[in-house]
Amino acid sequence: MDFPSALRERRTRRRISQLELALRAGTTQRHLSFIESGRSAPGRAMVVRLAESLELPLRERNELLLAAGYAPVYPESSLDAPALAPVRTAIDHILRGHLPYPAVVVDRGGDLVAANAAFDLITEGASPDLVGAGKNVYRLALHPDGLAPRIRNLAEWARHILAALGHLPELRAELACHVPDLHPSDAQLGFAVPLRLASSYGELHLMTTVTTFATAVDVTLAELRLEAFLPADPETAEALSAAAGADAPVTLAHEPGNM
């Protein structure tokens, strides 16, 4: 896609008018109109300002720069790069600190980067082909050989998972084939979609939270997601504590030094 089309597509997708984007980027609507029509070629700084004003993910900002004929400005480092060593340490601390509750770190595609020991209770009984470093946690959640047979509110949870995969249409289409034609019930917490999961410690009622590195300027780091499971009732909290134990060690899904 050429730059004018790429810019216009991203602006309209976010339902932002030319005037609003121009004001955000510190330029005029006339200049922006010329850019989108191809009558004016923006400088590199202007492309960066427009991408920031649209609040694009770092990967898309790089794509916009490439479409305009400029080199990307945001690096995409390997997780085992020396520069990201503090990040690996921070993730380890976060996962350990979340015990006895399960927590995982996944990349943009939903592939598992790391997990703590409590996550074993979530994955118990799942096929080994679906569990471990580099395996997709969304596929694990909805595959018949994964968690699906143990999820007591599969209709609600499946729709929650599929709704989060808008940026991964192929994976979404694959997983939709595993979801039965069920009608969600009215049994909701009122403020979140719970995961009701059968386990060897009884039925778990879990809520999830997602944390990202909001100030990241590296593409890889910006796309990492820490997904933490929290008990939705005292019984689940007690079950997780009993399963993990107060001194359960953190278990990382990556190989040492290759996170």
Side-chain angles (χ1 to χ4, degrees), residues 106-112 135-138 167-168 171:
V106 300
D107 63 17
R108 178 177 182 270
D111 293 340
L112 186 66
K135 303 298 184 181
N136 192 274
V137 297
Y138 303 125
H167 66 298
L168 299 168
L171 179 61

Side-chain angles (χ1 to χ4, degrees), residues 3-79:
F3 177 77
S5 298
L7 176 62
R8 187 166 54 253
E9 187 274 332
R10 285 160 174 77
R11 178 180 62 78
T12 55
R13 190 199 323 154
R14 285 163 176 74
R15 299 181 179 179
I16 298 175
S17 67
Q18 280 189 346
L19 177 58
E20 182 180 355
L21 179 56
L23 291 173
R24 290 184 185 184
T27 187
T28 65
Q29 182 179 2
R30 183 170 184 269
H31 186 206
L32 180 57
S33 177
F34 278 19
I35 291 175
E36 286 195 354
S37 66
R39 296 173 63 185
S40 178
R44 181 176 180 177
M46 175 57 71
V47 176
V48 172
R49 290 214 311 272
L50 289 170
E52 290 176 345
S53 300
L54 287 169
E55 298 180 348
L56 297 178
L58 300 189
R59 184 177 297 277
E60 285 197 52
R61 297 184 193 188
N62 278 345
E63 291 172 355
L64 208 58
L65 282 160
L66 285 170
Y70 299 108
V73 299
Y74 302 100
E76 185 173 358
S77 306
S78 170
L79 273 172

